[in-house]
């Protein structure tokens, strides 16, 4: 029989199976009810798979069997959000919550106590946008910079709580739903447990695990991860009636097959909002997923529209952030880690303690000045703080609980890795191992830096492999990497002919780079990615940079006397000159930068950066502006050309508004920068 001829009873059975499977999913994910027994569900799935295998013409993309598609080749495609994905302003206290309610009520001319809010927990996951045309999921995208995200359709399709096909008869012709993708505590523990057994990747927390899963090119990996989805917003809706309130809209989404947070509540006024945040703080520990606060939205859509937006956040919603969590534990010991340029960092070994959902066993003490400031001794009781994704910190020593037998924390006199003398240069906080590239720790760190994504971006050369290469003395300097052969690599632990071949190919690819990357990769102290780009641009060739006088280096925008001295000293050390030569001899090359003196389209303009930037650091933003010739100032005046304001912007933003200076948000800033850089043929 030709595969196109499908008996009617088979087609009906397939439809019926899909309906029953979708229904079971809906019951389970949306209504949170006991669904059919697993065994029955599996049987339905197996029957459907068998029929689809027999009659491939019956397969449709929205069939429940089709959650895993072919791996994506190459990079993720970018997706332009037709409605920008905004973020929210934050409130950290009851006072700030009251002020938010009051501000909104004043603008609306209504009574603050009768204003209705729809409140939800703030999930600590990743914002995702889902697009449905005629009820079929056609696209899933990350938030990205709010304007442009990445196409992750293949991965969102694997998430059981995301419908591939909408439910019911009243399906809109176009629907864009936004929400949070996350991994729950139980799922997270199970997946890490499995990873441990199978020697796979173990994640630090559920958020990282969710982010890592969505970034997979192969959907079968995302499918194995316990990803979940809660919808929280409709961004576009065509071909159906809009609801009048946010809460009605959420009910509508549930009817269409989306899962929304069961904690959702409608409250009135500041007292209602504050009460909800308190309740969430109490419920936090008993929820199966991580939350970092609550989101409070004005319920009426008409009022939302009236309030509108400011900068990149709506005036009708706010995120309440829980205070950072703190716990007390014992400081069991201190180890000294050796960094790329030999800096010794004291790292506290702690009695394991759960802080904000993560087991903390180590915390950095930064340097010996910090150790003295804290007055920390081994054996002390210390307070550890962790906020969101931030590295755990020791905030305080509990002096009145100090036992009698504590020990002083002493900086070793010799490097714990190579035994070289430790030096503490005058005027510097950090102590350093004087071993240079003789020290295996420094060698490993330098090689990691050299291979990292922003440097030579050598695929497949990870931390563990570098450790082995250094320990077996197969690699002493970065140039040695390029002499490695497939046969010797294939013999290393966890390597085989294929992975060795891939690494050699990746090294070969990395040979062709840019001057900026090369300058960054060789690891001059305090020369980050942005400074390297400025230097490449300014000097145009490595030779010119290597022979530059100190004064010349200091005249480069943003290169201060200290950095200039680091660069100057670096190229006056024979070992560095030899390394650079050896790399060039090994075939590392780049296209010459065409003209050293680039156009400076922003010359004469003064810019001010204020508030928090999310996509890039302040320094990076500053660097990029300066590269284009702009001046970056710390305060707003009549002469200010433009202010870039992130969330939390305060007096500078007010001043700019008062003076009528142009204010833009981070997303517009990035767009504008990219445009200008392109015009200036920057890279
Ligand atoms: S509403 C206009 N609701 O928080 C902005 N966001 O800081 C609409 N988030 O990027 C966002 N839980 O990823 C909303 N219940 C919730 C949320 C939530 C987590 C995240 C979201 C957003 C960020 C804003």
């Amino acid at each position: 029989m030709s595969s196109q001829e499908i008996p009617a009873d088979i087609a009906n059975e397939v439809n019926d199976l899909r309906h029953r499977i979708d229904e079971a999913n809906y019951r389970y994910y949306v209504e949170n009810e006991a669904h059919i027994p697993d065994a029955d569900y599996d049987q339905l799935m197996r029957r459907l798979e068998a029929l689809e295998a027999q009659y491939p013409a019956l397969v449709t993309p929205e069939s429940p069997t089709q959650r895993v598609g072919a791996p994506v080749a190459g990079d993720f495609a970018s997706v332009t959000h037709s409605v920008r994905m905004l973020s929210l302003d934050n409130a950290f206290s009851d006072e700030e919550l009251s002020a938010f309610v009051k501000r909104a009520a004043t603008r609306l001319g209504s009574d603050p106590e009768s204003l209705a809010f729809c409140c939800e927990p703030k999930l600590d996951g990743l914002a995702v946008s889902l697009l449905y045309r005629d009820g079929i999921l056609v696209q899933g995208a990350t938030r990205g910079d709010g304007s442009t995200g990445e196409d992750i359709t293949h991965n969102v399709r694997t998430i059981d709580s995301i419908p591939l096909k909408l439910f019911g008869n009243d399906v809109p012709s176009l629907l864009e739903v936004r929400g949070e993708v996350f991994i729950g505590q139980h799922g997270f523990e199970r997946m890490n447990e499995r990873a441990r057994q199978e020697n796979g990747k173990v994640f630090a927390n559920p958020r990282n695990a969710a982010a890592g899963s969505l970034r997979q090119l192969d959907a079968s990996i995302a499918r194995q991860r316990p990803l979940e989805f809660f919808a929280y917003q409709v961004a576009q809706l065509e071909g159906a009636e809009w609801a009048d309130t946010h809460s009605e809209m959420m009910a509508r989404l549930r009817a269409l097959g989306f899962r929304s947070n069961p904690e959702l509540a409608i409250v009135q006024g500041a007292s209602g909002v504050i009460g909800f945040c308190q309740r969430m703080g109490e419920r936090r520990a008993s929820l199966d997923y991580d939350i970092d606060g609550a989101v409070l939205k004005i319920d009426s859509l008409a009022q939302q529209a009236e309030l509108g937006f400011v900068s990149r956040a709506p005036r009708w919603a706010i995120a309440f952030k829980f205070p950072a969590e703190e716990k007390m534990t014992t400081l069991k010991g201190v180890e000294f880690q050796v960094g790329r340029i030999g800096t010794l960092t004291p790292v506290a070994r702690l009695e394991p303690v759960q802080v904000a959902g993560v087991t903390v066993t180590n915390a950095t003490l930064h340097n010996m000045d910090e150790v003295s400031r804290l007055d920390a001794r081994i054996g002390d009781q210390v307070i550890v703080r962790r906020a969101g994704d931030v590295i755990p910190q020791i905030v305080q020593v509990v002096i009145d609980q100090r036992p009698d037998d504590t020990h002083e924390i002493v900086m070793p006199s010799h490097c714990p890795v190579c035994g070289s003398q430790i030096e503490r240069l005058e005027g510097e906080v950090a102590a350093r191992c004087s071993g240079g590239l003789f020290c295996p720790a420094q060698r490993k760190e330098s090689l990691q830096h050299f291979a990292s994504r922003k440097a030579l971006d050598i695929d497949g050369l990870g931390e563990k492999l570098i450790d082995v290469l250094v320990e077996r003395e197969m690699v002493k300097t970065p140039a040695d990497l390029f002499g490695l052969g497939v046969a010797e690599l294939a013999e290393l632990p966890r390597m085989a002919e294929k992975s060795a071949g891939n690494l050699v190919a990746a090294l070969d690819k990395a040979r062709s780079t840019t001057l900026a990357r090369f300058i960054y990769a060789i690891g001059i102290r305090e020369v980050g990615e942005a400074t390297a780009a400025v230097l490449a641009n300014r000097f145009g060739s490595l030779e010119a940079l290597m022979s530059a006088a100190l004064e010349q280096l200091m005249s480069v925008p943003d290169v201060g006397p200290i950095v200039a001295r680091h660069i100057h000293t670096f190229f006056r050390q024979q070992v560095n000159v030899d390394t650079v030569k050896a790399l060039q001899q090994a075939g590392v090359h780049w296209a010459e930068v065409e003209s050293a003196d680039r156009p400076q389209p922003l010359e004469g303009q003064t810019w001010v950066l204020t508030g928090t930037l999310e996509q890039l650091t302040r320094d990076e933003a500053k660097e990029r502006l300066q590269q284009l010739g702009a001046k970056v100032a710390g305060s707003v005046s009549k002469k200010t050309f433009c202010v870039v304001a992130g969330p939390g912007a305060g007096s500078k933003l007010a001043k700019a508004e008062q003076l009528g200076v142009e204010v833009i948000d981070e997303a517009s800033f990035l767009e504008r920068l990219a445009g200008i850089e392109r015009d200036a043929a920057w890279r």
Side-chain angles (χ1 to χ4, degrees):
M1 181 195 320
S2 100
S3 62
Q4 303 313 319
E5 272 174 55
I6 297 154
D9 56 333
I10 297 288
N12 286 341
E13 186 183 351
V14 162
N15 272 341
D16 180 58
L17 284 165
R18 286 183 188 154
H19 186 75
R20 285 165 68 187
I21 293 169
D22 287 343
E23 179 100 3
N25 276 334
Y26 185 86
R27 286 259 150 77
Y28 184 64
Y29 292 108
V30 183
E31 293 183 338
N32 226 357
E33 279 175 10
H35 67 142
I36 57 171
D38 281 357
D40 295 2
Y41 183 87
D42 290 346
Q43 207 180 351
L44 295 177
M45 264 312 230
R46 274 202 302 273
R47 175 75 184 146
L48 179 58
E49 276 163 3
L51 290 177
E52 287 182 350
Q54 204 180 342
Y55 302 97
L58 280 176
V59 178
T60 60
E62 62 277 12
S63 169
T65 57
Q66 301 299 305
R67 285 200 175 264
V68 178
V72 170
D75 284 342
F76 297 97
S78 49
V79 168
T80 307
H81 297 298
S82 41
V83 178
R84 262 186 48 205
M85 289 183 83
L86 300 163
S87 44
L88 297 169
D89 278 339
N90 294 324
F92 296 96
S93 64
D94 293 355
E95 291 70 37
E96 286 176 21
L97 285 174
S98 298
F100 159 70
V101 173
K102 205 167 143 198
R103 263 197 318 273
T106 310
R107 273 189 180 266
L108 292 168
S110 66
D111 168 21
E113 279 312 300
S114 61
L115 214 51
F117 291 87
C118 185
C119 310
E120 297 155 31
K122 185 171 191 304
L123 269 81
D124 197 8
L126 294 112
V128 159
S129 142
L130 305 171
L131 198 66
Y132 290 81
R133 284 190 203 282
D134 297 320
I136 305 295
L137 173 65
V138 292
Q139 186 180 74
T142 62
R143 176 175 185 276
D145 64 5
S147 305
T148 313
E150 281 179 333
D151 188 333
I152 50 160
T153 314
H154 61 298
N155 286 332
V156 299
R157 286 178 58 92
T158 68
I159 303 175
D160 284 314
S161 44
I162 291 181
L164 297 177
K165 183 175 172 218
L166 300 181
F167 264 71
N169 301 323
D170 191 17
V171 165
S173 56
L174 178 86
L175 175 72
E176 184 185 348
V177 173
R178 290 178 182 168
E180 204 84 349
V181 168
F182 63 97
I183 288 180
Q185 277 301 336
H186 276 95
F188 176 69
E189 275 152 30
R190 271 201 309 272
M191 77 175 256
N192 260 359
E193 191 47 50
R194 201 170 94 184
R196 256 179 236 116
Q197 281 165 10
E198 294 171 359
N199 232 344
K201 183 162 174 56
V202 175
F203 288 93
N205 57 51
R207 190 182 185 283
N208 289 359
S213 306
L214 287 183
R215 284 207 53 84
Q216 297 294 328
L217 293 170
D218 181 354
S220 66
I221 300 180
R223 182 64 175 161
Q224 290 161 23
R225 307 273 170 83
L227 294 164
E228 301 183 44
F229 180 77
F230 274 136
Y232 58 59
Q233 199 191 12
V234 171
Q236 295 189 77
L237 177 69
E238 284 171 19
E241 281 292 296
W242 281 97
D244 289 336
T245 61
H246 176 73
S247 46
E248 272 171 47
M249 202 142 66
M250 295 309 293
R252 200 188 148 75
L253 286 183
R254 279 192 295 279
L256 290 171
F258 294 96
R259 192 171 168 224
S260 71
N261 199 302
E263 306 291 326
L264 187 142
I266 298 163
V267 302
Q268 285 197 330
S271 52
V273 159
I274 292 170
F276 181 84
C277 293
Q278 265 164 6
R279 277 200 302 286
M280 277 305 120
E282 289 154 14
R283 303 253 314 117
R284 183 182 190 183
S286 58
L287 296 173
D288 182 50
Y289 43 85
D290 283 349
I291 64 172
D292 56 357
V295 178
L296 315 150
K297 304 171 191 171
I298 295 219
D299 199 31
S300 151
L301 297 182
Q303 285 178 336
Q304 286 191 3
E306 194 177 337
L307 287 168
F309 301 85
V310 63
S311 181
R312 29 141 260 166
R315 284 205 190 86
W316 44 262
I318 201 156
F320 173 75
K321 289 286 197 71
F322 294 138
E325 204 179 315
E326 295 184 349
K327 283 281 176 63
M328 188 159 77
T329 188
T330 311
L331 174 57
K332 293 199 304 185
V334 171
E335 278 173 24
F336 287 85
Q337 271 176 3
V338 186
R340 173 161 62 85
I341 48 165
T343 312
L344 256 66
T345 306
V347 178
R349 300 280 173 242
L350 304 166
E351 186 62 44
V353 62
Q354 280 274 322
V355 194
V358 169
T359 307
V360 174
T361 49
N362 303 320
T364 173
L365 284 160
H366 302 290
N367 52 51
M368 292 308 278
D369 281 7
E370 176 71 0
V371 171
S372 325
R373 190 188 69 78
L374 288 166
D375 183 21
R377 294 174 66 87
I378 294 163
D380 266 335
Q381 290 301 105
V382 293
I383 309 265
V384 180
R385 174 188 296 170
R386 194 180 155 265
D389 249 359
V390 183
I391 307 167
Q393 294 235 306
I394 294 184
V395 283
Q396 200 192 320
V397 172
V398 190
I399 301 282
D400 43 354
Q401 287 199 28
R402 174 168 284 172
D404 293 334
D405 55 348
T406 60
H407 305 286
E408 192 187 346
I409 299 169
V410 205
M411 168 67 72
S413 59
H414 291 86
C415 172
V417 179
C418 73
S420 301
Q421 195 102 22
I422 298 298
E423 347 177 278
R424 191 165 173 171
L425 301 178
E426 216 175 298
E428 281 192 18
V429 183
R432 265 174 236 293
C433 158
S434 59
L437 287 182
F438 167 74
C439 174
Q442 292 189 52
R443 216 180 281 159
K444 287 176 186 173
E445 294 282 337
S446 313
L447 288 166
Q448 267 177 42
H449 173 79
F450 185 80
S452 65
R453 202 169 50 80
K454 292 173 179 175
L456 258 63
D457 194 13
I458 307 173
D459 242 8
L461 185 58
E463 193 177 328
K464 295 219 173 83
L465 185 54
I466 289 177
D467 287 356
V468 177
L469 291 171
V470 170
E471 277 152 23
R472 301 197 177 189
E473 303 206 343
M474 289 164 72
V475 171
K476 291 204 167 94
T477 78
D480 297 340
L481 290 169
F482 296 97
L484 292 170
V486 175
E488 53 181 332
L489 284 169
E491 283 180 5
L492 296 176
R494 274 199 292 233
M495 291 289 279
E497 196 79 17
K498 179 148 187 265
S499 44
N502 288 346
L503 178 59
V504 170
L507 279 159
D508 197 39
K509 190 169 150 220
R511 277 193 172 95
S512 155
T513 186
T514 65
L515 177 56
R517 278 178 179 270
F518 185 81
I519 296 173
Y520 174 67
I522 53 179
I524 307 168
R525 275 182 68 184
E526 289 181 44
V527 174
E529 188 200 2
T531 309
V534 179
L535 291 170
N537 188 56
R538 179 55 70 121
F539 290 95
S541 76
L542 187 66
E543 292 66 35
L545 175 66
M546 287 175 78
S547 59
L550 199 56
E551 297 69 39
Q552 249 178 309
L553 290 164
M554 283 201 286
S555 73
V556 178
D558 237 28
V559 172
I562 296 175
V563 180
R565 187 163 288 283
H566 287 326
I567 301 167
H568 194 254
T569 312
F570 183 92
F571 289 119
R572 278 159 198 74
Q573 286 178 325
Q574 196 53 43
V575 46
N576 294 330
V577 176
D578 290 346
T579 302
V580 165
K581 257 198 218 135
L583 282 167
Q584 287 179 301
Q585 269 160 13
V588 178
H589 64 279
W590 50 86
E592 284 302 316
V593 180
E594 275 162 24
S595 120
D597 269 317
R598 291 289 181 151
Q600 307 260 290
L602 304 189
E603 194 152 9
Q605 297 179 3
T606 303
W607 288 60
V608 172
L609 305 167
T610 181
T612 317
L613 300 183
E614 291 187 335
Q615 305 297 320
L616 71 186
T617 66
R618 272 250 192 137
D619 283 345
E620 285 162 355
K622 189 169 163 186
E623 200 98 47
R624 282 172 68 181
L625 282 167
Q626 285 169 336
Q627 282 177 33
L628 295 164
K631 207 176 137 212
V632 179
S635 61
V636 178
S637 74
K638 268 198 313 214
K639 282 194 244 145
T640 308
F641 177 79
C642 185
V643 173
V644 182
S651 60
K652 288 178 200 168
L653 176 58
K655 182 90 182 275
E657 280 171 355
Q658 181 200 334
L659 292 171
V661 170
E662 186 188 9
V663 178
I664 58 174
D665 65 8
E666 185 178 6
S668 336
F669 171 61
L670 289 172
E671 257 166 47
R672 208 189 282 190
L673 263 190
I676 299 168
E677 285 170 349
R678 234 177 287 121
D679 288 347
W682 198 248
R683 287 174 203 278

